[in-house]
Amino acid sequence: QVQLVESGGGLVQAGGSLRLSCSASGPSVNSRTIFWYRQAPGKQRELVASITRDGRTNSADSVPGRVTISRDNAKNTVYLHLNSLKAEDTAVYYCAAAIIGDSRPQYWGQGTQVTVSS
């Protein structure tokens, strides 16, 4: 089965940056679309960005210019660069992998906490 492990979260001051990593294992992980979601306390989980097997990316309207998603297939890792962080970016960030040939998240990691202090 596909397994995803997030890392790189932590405490950062407003205006700072973080690079989150999603280490993937299992069958055909490099053939899957990978998503980054986040969920803040009391809020619904929301999509932050996604990247296809071919490297095509999308980001949410709320974070253009502040989020960059990339993947290194040689390392089976997807990265999420968070820049110019704001207090409202505080959330648990999750990566997810799609079923091959699909565009919906199927497998989820346990998340990594990002806390932005003002």
Side-chain angles (χ1 to χ4, degrees), residues 51-105:
I51 185 167
T52 70
R53 62 177 296 181
D54 297 322
R56 291 181 291 178
T57 63
N58 287 289
S59 61
D61 292 339
S62 61
V63 295
R66 301 197 300 113
V67 171
T68 301
I69 187 170
S70 62
R71 68 192 304 165
D72 185 342
N73 287 338
K75 298 180 179 180
N76 292 336
T77 300
V78 175
Y79 303 99
L80 186 71
H81 295 261
L82 303 171
N83 303 303
S84 300
L85 285 163
K86 304 175 181 179
E88 56 261 40
D89 294 320
T90 294
V92 177
Y93 285 72
Y94 301 88
C95 64
I99 298 173
I100 295 175
D102 204 354
S103 60
R104 298 171 295 173

Side-chain angles (χ1 to χ4, degrees), residues 1-5 22-30 32 34 75-77 97 107:
Q1 297 296 317
V2 172
Q3 293 184 334
L4 306 168
V5 180
C22 175
S23 178
S25 63
S28 302
V29 293
N30 290 335
R32 304 174 187 272
I34 302 295
K75 298 180 179 180
N76 292 336
T77 300
Y107 307 97

Side-chain angles (χ1 to χ4, degrees), residues 37-47 87-94:
Y37 282 78
R38 69 184 182 186
Q39 187 166 22
K43 303 292 185 179
Q44 293 185 337
R45 187 171 298 185
E46 64 175 351
L47 178 67
E88 56 261 40
D89 294 320
T90 294
V92 177
Y93 285 72
Y94 301 88

